[in-house]
């Protein structure tokens, strides 16, 4: 923080509490003293503005903006830059070095403005000087505030109180001839700004609510609305407000500023947007009510309203005499400089255009390999069409062929294509200079005019000097943006990988691919898939950030041959969609000519096609989806009309396409495996259940997992011969192909042996031998097998063999539950089995329940349902049908635990209906 200084040889007279501190600066003596004034502040204060700022770094920029807006609103544009520089230094001293809050007070008088900056650090010591004052090096970190005050201010001083230190400076308005504010040189008629035969200046007054209060005749002529049509409506309903890069100012905020100039659009009565240049002035009426007066002209007539730039101070000013040097970067860019790259580049082209009185300006940045230049900012040109377009550094032989050297073109019509960026823009003369950092090309800056022969080597030198001043700052901002982009890209790819890895569903993977690219990387995208090498690419998914345009893009792409499935990595341009969109729009427009005045038919016929053409009419790139050395599809990214992709975005899209291709191929393989497993599982279960007279039968089968593994549980019910039926329910140990082989062997062997006339024990003994013959592929098997004979009295005779399986349960009409068989050895373990069958009679109303161990072994923590729990549930099923019994058992099993079942479950319920009495 800078400190107050008392120049001269006199020591302050001691006061009651020590040296008496001065209330303001005294006139210095000696040859090295700085110029100050001991006059008090002006007695005639015509306006004042004050603000306080917290002790944080961002307060410096906020204070600069406050002073700039205040002085511009007062009409003190000539001294704005000096005031902003001084305020910036003094507020920095307060909030950064002293660490206190800062109070800024602006006072307007008839002859200038006085600005006071106060901090809360009054105990700073005041060094005494008896000789010429040495303010130190201007390059040091601190101590420049008073030095700049001495160099730039007409009067300045320091005041101390017990709680504050106040530094003030006075800036006087430069004397101007009466009636003259700014003047330009005489120019030939062909160099004067273009305007229509009659220049119309629309005067629109906006009330405090942002609504239109006044609308003059020129506004009616320019925009087609009568005053009564727009009075009372918000200006935002008519304004097409493009945000300036690097700022967040909208039209509502601009209307609140004391003064504002710039370009935007007004939507006319015909529906088209009319570019205008506007000058806003905030005023108040005699009652104190504020409003904003807006002066609007056509954008190409901006010279009518645009404020001329202030002529730069001469080199022999008092600032130079006193040794203070202004920062060349700040001189060119202005203060405060934009914090972001886009804002800095936009400010650069605007200042370059104004500096050489040009019609347009543009700035390009070099790619990493310095072989191409990418358009990053422009003014006076169709920036949307040119933004992020690329041109080669070496365009051709000769003096004008390289961006590495300054170049002046007197007339572009004599060298067509010399500056590709200006093709078909109407620009005739242009000067371009390189931006270099340590001898390395980092970009190119150019200005252009519609008239030929406007620029010479002198203008090229001036522009090169400006380019040298900003090159380092631009490169630093570009590297900072690149670092942020790379960090963001890494975060984006990590999140994308997590999302893609979280699903194995093909359709969901396609949707995720599209949703991650739109709108982050592109405005719209389409995904083509290729089933196999002999198949043509198929349009599988389309997404646009505007959902209403998706169907139109699908229809358009369906009429275009898909891109070739080239495995070469990287993005390649695909022009077919844009060409098809332009042709479709042209045909629609031609058809509309025969529709007469039918506005409704035109709206419904031409609207969607033109909207689709605009959405797809920009740059389109195709990235191959390559997985396991095979092209499985293409990812197509598109921009709307006349927009281009940045190289960083294409590189990020290429990384994403590699991850997406692997995820899509994994989903395909998983889907194929699931389909195979489900088909095999279905083949291991009976295609249907036979209808048995006098017996109700219900089966419920639930496979655990996601369906990609074949389960080991199975069931069967089949006719053996007339009046006899076989039933079985079993569980093979494990899952997968080995278990499926044993399951298929068991089900088909049971049917074959039973129909050959073998009884239950013989059937199971032969099946046991067949399983053991499988050797290492064998699996042990628990099986409940029985034969059923329905009787004429409504009962049924059962012969049952339970080989290691959960015992079947019999539910009687009185609600009692009992096992219907005894346990015997399971199959696939012992070679010699001695099995026997048990006979059970099911009376009318009885239920036989058979389940696999997935039901009885259902767990919740340390609890298990078990045989007893199953029996308890079955006791509540008296009087229910077989279907109701099976459903109640399944609900009880599912509710027993909160987790999803981890084992397959099969339930077979058979019930003998009750005999109705006549």
């Amino acid at each position: 923080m800078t400190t107050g200084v008392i120049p001269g040889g006199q020591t302050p007279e001691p006061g009651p509490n020590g040296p008496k501190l001065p209330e303001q600066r005294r006139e210095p003596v000696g040859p090295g003293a700085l110029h100050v004034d001991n006059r008090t502040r002006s007695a005639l204060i015509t306006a004042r503005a004050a603000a306080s700022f917290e002790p944080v770094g961002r307060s410096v920029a906020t204070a600069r903006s406050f002073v700039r807006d205040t002085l511009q609103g007062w009409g003190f544009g000539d001294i704005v830059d000096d005031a902003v520089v001084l305020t910036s230094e003094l507020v920095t001293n307060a909030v950064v070095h002293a660490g206190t809050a800062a109070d800024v007070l602006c006072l307007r008088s008839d002859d200038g403005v006085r600005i006071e900056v106060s901090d809360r650090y009054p105990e700073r010591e005041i060094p005494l000087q008896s000789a010429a004052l040495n303010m130190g090096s201007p390059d040091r970190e601190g101590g420049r505030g008073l030095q700049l005050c001495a160099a730039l201010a007409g009067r300045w001083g320091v005041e101390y109180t017990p709680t504050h230190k106040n530094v003030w400076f006075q800036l006087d308005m430069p004397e101007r001839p009466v009636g003259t504010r700014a003047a330009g040189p005489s120019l030939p008629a062909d160099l004067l700004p273009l305007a229509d035969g009659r220049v119309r200046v629309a005067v629109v007054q906006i009330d405090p609510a942002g609504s239109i209060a006044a609308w003059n005749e020129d506004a009616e002529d320019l925009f087609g609305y009568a005053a009564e049509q727009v009075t009372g409506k918000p200006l935002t309903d008519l304004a097409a407000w493009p945000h300036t890069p690097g700022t967040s100012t909208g039209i509502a905020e601009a209307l609140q500023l004391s003064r504002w100039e710039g370009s935007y659009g007004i939507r006319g009565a015909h529906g088209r947007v009319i570019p205008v240049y506007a000058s806003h002035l905030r005023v108040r009426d005699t009652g104190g009510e504020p409003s904003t007066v807006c002066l609007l002209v056509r954008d190409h007539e901006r010279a009518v309203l645009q404020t001329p730039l202030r002529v730069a101070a001469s080199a022999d000013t008092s600032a130079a005499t006193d040794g203070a040097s202004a920062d060349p970067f700040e001189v060119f860019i202005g203060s405060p400089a934009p914090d972001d790259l886009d804002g800095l580049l936009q400010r650069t082209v605007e200042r370059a255009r104004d500096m050489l009185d040009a019609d347009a300006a543009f700035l390009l940045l070099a790619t990493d390999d310095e072989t191409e230049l990418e358009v990053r900012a422009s003014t006076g040109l169709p920036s949307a069409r040119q933004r992020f377009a690329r041109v080669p550094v070496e365009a051709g032989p000769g003096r004008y062929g390289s961006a590495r050297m300054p170049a002046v073109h007197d007339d572009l019509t004599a060298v067509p294509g010399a500056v590709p960026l200006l093709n078909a823009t109407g620009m005739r003369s242009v000067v371009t200079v390189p931006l270099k950092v340590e001898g390395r090309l980092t970009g190119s800056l150019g200005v252009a005019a519609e008239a030929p022969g406007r620029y010479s080597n002198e203008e090229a030198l001036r522009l090169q000097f400006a380019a040298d001043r900003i090159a380092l700052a631009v490169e630093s901002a570009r590297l900072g943006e690149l670092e942020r982009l790379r960090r963001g890209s890494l975060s984006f790819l990590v999140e994308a990988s997590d999302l893609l890895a979280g699903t194995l569903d093909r359709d969901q993977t396609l949707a995720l691919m599209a949703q991650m690219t739109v709108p982050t990387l592109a405005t719209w995208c389409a995904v083509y898939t290729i089933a196999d090498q002999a198949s043509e690419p198929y349009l599988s998914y389309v997404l646009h950030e505007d959902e209403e345009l998706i169907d139109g893009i699908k229809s358009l792409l369906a009429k275009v041959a898909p891109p070739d499935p080239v495995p070469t990595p990287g993005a390649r341009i695909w022009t077919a969609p844009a060409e098809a969109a332009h042709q479709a729009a042209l045909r629609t427009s031609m058809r509309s000519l025969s529709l007469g005045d039918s506005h409704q038919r035109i709206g419904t016929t031409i609207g969607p096609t033109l909207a689709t053409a605009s959405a797809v009419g920009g740059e389109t790139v195709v990235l191959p989806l390559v997985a396991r050395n095979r092209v499985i599809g293409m990812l197509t990214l598109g921009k709307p009309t006349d927009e281009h992709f940045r190289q960083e975005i294409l590189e990020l899209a290429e990384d994403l396409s590699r991850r997406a291709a692997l995820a899509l191929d994994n989903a395909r393989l998983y889907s194929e495996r699931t389909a195979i497993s489900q088909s095999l599982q279905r083949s291991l279960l009976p295609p249907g259940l036979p209808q048995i007279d006098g017996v109700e039968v219900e089966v419920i089968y639930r496979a655990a997992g996601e369906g990609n593994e074949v389960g080991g549980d199975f069931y069967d019910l089949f006719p053996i011969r007339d009046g006899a039926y076989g039933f079985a329910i079993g569980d093979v140990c494990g899952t997968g192909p080995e278990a499926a082989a044993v399951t298929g062997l068991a089900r088909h062997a049971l049917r074959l042996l039973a129909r050959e006339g073998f009884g239950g024990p013989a059937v199971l003994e032969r099946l046991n031998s067949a399983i053991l013959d499988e050797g290492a592929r064998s699996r042990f098997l628990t099986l409940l097998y029985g034969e059923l004979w329905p009787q004429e009295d409504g009962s049924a005779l059962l012969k049952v063999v339970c080989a290691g399986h959960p015992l079947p349960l019999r539910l009687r009409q009185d609600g009692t539950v009992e096992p219907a068989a005894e346990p015997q050895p399971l199959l696939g373990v012992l070679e010699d089995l001695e099995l026997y069958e048990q006979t059970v009679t099911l009376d009318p109303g009885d239920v036989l329940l058979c389940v696999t161990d997935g039901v009885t072994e259902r767990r919740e923590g340390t609890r298990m349902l078990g045989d007893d729990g199953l029996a308890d549930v079955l006791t509540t099923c008296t009087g229910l049908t077989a279907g109701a019994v099976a459903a109640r058992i399944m609900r009880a099993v599912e509710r027993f635990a909160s987790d999803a079942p981890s084992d397959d479950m099969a339930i077979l319920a058979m019930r003998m209906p009750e005999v109705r009495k006549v």
Side-chain angles (χ1 to χ4, degrees), residues 126-140:
I126 302 178
L128 303 180
Q129 300 288 337
S130 59
L133 179 63
N134 180 16
M135 300 296 286
S137 171
D139 297 327
R140 63 180 178 173

Side-chain angles (χ1 to χ4, degrees), residues 478-812:
R478 186 189 73 85
L479 293 177
E481 180 197 62
L482 185 60
E483 179 63 22
R484 290 190 297 272
L485 181 61
R486 285 174 177 170
R487 290 183 180 180
S489 300
L490 181 60
S491 176
F492 172 78
L493 291 175
V494 169
E495 182 179 357
S497 300
D498 290 342
L499 290 174
L500 292 171
T503 179
L504 288 172
D505 181 81
R506 176 183 176 275
D507 294 337
Q508 189 174 1
T509 302
L510 290 172
L512 284 174
M513 290 170 57
Q515 291 167 5
M516 285 185 293
T517 57
V518 175
T520 305
L521 305 181
T523 306
W524 65 272
C525 85
V527 183
Y528 290 84
T529 56
I530 303 175
D532 53 63
Q533 294 182 351
S535 302
E536 290 293 325
Y538 173 75
L539 181 61
S540 298
Y541 202 92
V542 174
L543 184 65
H544 190 280
E545 59 183 10
D546 184 355
E547 295 182 357
E548 296 181 356
L549 298 177
I550 294 178
D551 292 338
I553 296 177
K554 283 183 180 178
S555 176
L556 180 68
L557 294 179
K559 301 175 183 178
V560 177
D564 296 330
V566 178
T568 306
R572 68 181 192 275
I573 301 297
W574 186 31
T575 60
E579 294 173 355
H582 294 159
Q583 291 297 325
L586 179 61
R587 290 194 299 268
T588 303
S589 301
M590 294 178 65
R591 286 198 303 268
S592 69
L593 297 177
S594 62
L595 296 180
D597 297 330
S598 178
H599 177 74
Q600 181 178 3
R601 292 179 60 193
I602 292 178
T604 57
T605 304
I606 197 172
T609 302
L610 293 180
T612 302
S614 177
V616 185
E619 187 174 68
T620 304
V621 297
V622 179
L623 297 104
L625 298 174
V626 181
R628 298 176 176 90
N629 298 322
R630 187 174 72 89
V631 180
I632 63 172
M634 284 87 69
L635 177 62
T636 302
L637 306 179
K639 288 280 190 180
T641 302
D642 296 332
E643 287 198 20
H644 299 267
F645 285 97
R646 296 181 59 180
Q647 183 63 25
E648 294 85 352
I649 295 298
L650 294 179
E651 293 173 357
L652 182 58
E654 186 177 357
D655 286 339
L656 176 63
S657 68
R658 287 195 292 267
R659 290 164 169 80
L662 188 59
L664 184 61
D665 199 47
N666 289 339
R668 176 188 63 83
L669 295 174
Y670 179 82
S671 299
E672 292 178 357
R673 181 179 178 184
T674 300
I676 294 172
S677 298
Q678 292 175 346
S679 177
L680 179 57
Q681 185 74 67
R682 287 192 298 269
S683 70
L684 300 178
L685 301 176
L689 299 178
Q691 295 291 331
I692 304 177
D693 293 337
V695 181
E696 296 177 4
V697 179
E698 181 66 26
V699 174
I700 296 179
Y701 181 84
R702 293 284 190 273
E706 299 181 356
N708 60 339
E709 289 286 351
V710 181
D713 290 11
F714 70 96
Y715 65 90
D716 203 357
L717 178 64
F718 55 92
I720 299 175
R721 49 189 172 274
D722 292 342
Y725 297 86
F727 65 91
I729 185 169
D731 184 3
V732 178
C733 173
T735 58
E738 293 82 2
V742 176
T743 301
L745 172 65
R747 194 173 76 83
H748 294 292
L750 287 175
R751 288 195 173 207
L752 179 62
L753 294 172
R755 288 170 176 171
E756 289 295 322
F758 292 98
V763 169
L764 269 60
E765 289 170 0
R766 285 166 173 74
L767 176 58
N768 180 62
S769 299
I771 293 173
L772 292 175
D773 289 343
E774 292 293 312
R777 296 181 300 175
S778 66
R779 292 286 189 274
F780 64 79
L781 166 67
T782 66
L783 179 64
L784 171 66
Y785 174 75
E787 295 180 357
L788 171 69
W789 283 273
Q791 305 298 310
E792 293 181 357
D793 60 356
S795 63
L797 180 64
L798 296 177
K799 292 184 178 181
V800 181
V801 180
C802 186
H805 199 77
L807 298 179
L809 299 179
R810 176 184 182 183
L811 172 64
R812 295 183 181 273

Side-chain angles (χ1 to χ4, degrees), residues 212 215 219-220 223-234 237-238 268-269:
I212 298 173
W215 184 269
E220 295 182 6
F223 309 122
Y225 298 106
E228 56 270 16
Q229 291 180 278
V230 296
T231 302
K233 292 184 178 180
D237 290 353
L238 304 180

Side-chain angles (χ1 to χ4, degrees), residues 15-92:
N17 299 317
K20 182 179 179 181
L21 302 180
E23 297 221 345
Q24 63 182 28
R25 295 291 302 257
R26 297 180 179 177
E27 189 71 29
V29 294
L34 298 173
H35 172 71
V36 293
D37 198 327
N38 61 355
R39 287 179 290 177
T40 60
R41 69 178 63 171
S42 172
L44 182 58
I45 302 300
T46 59
R48 63 188 296 136
S52 297
F53 303 94
E54 297 296 326
V56 293
R58 63 176 180 271
S59 294
V60 179
T62 308
R64 288 197 296 260
S65 299
F66 163 71
V67 172
R68 179 179 294 278
D69 292 341
T70 299
L71 268 59
Q72 285 180 341
W74 289 348
F76 286 178
D78 290 351
I79 60 176
V80 163
D81 290 340
D82 289 345
V84 167
V85 169
L86 295 177
T87 303
S88 178
E89 285 295 328
L90 297 178
V91 173
T92 300

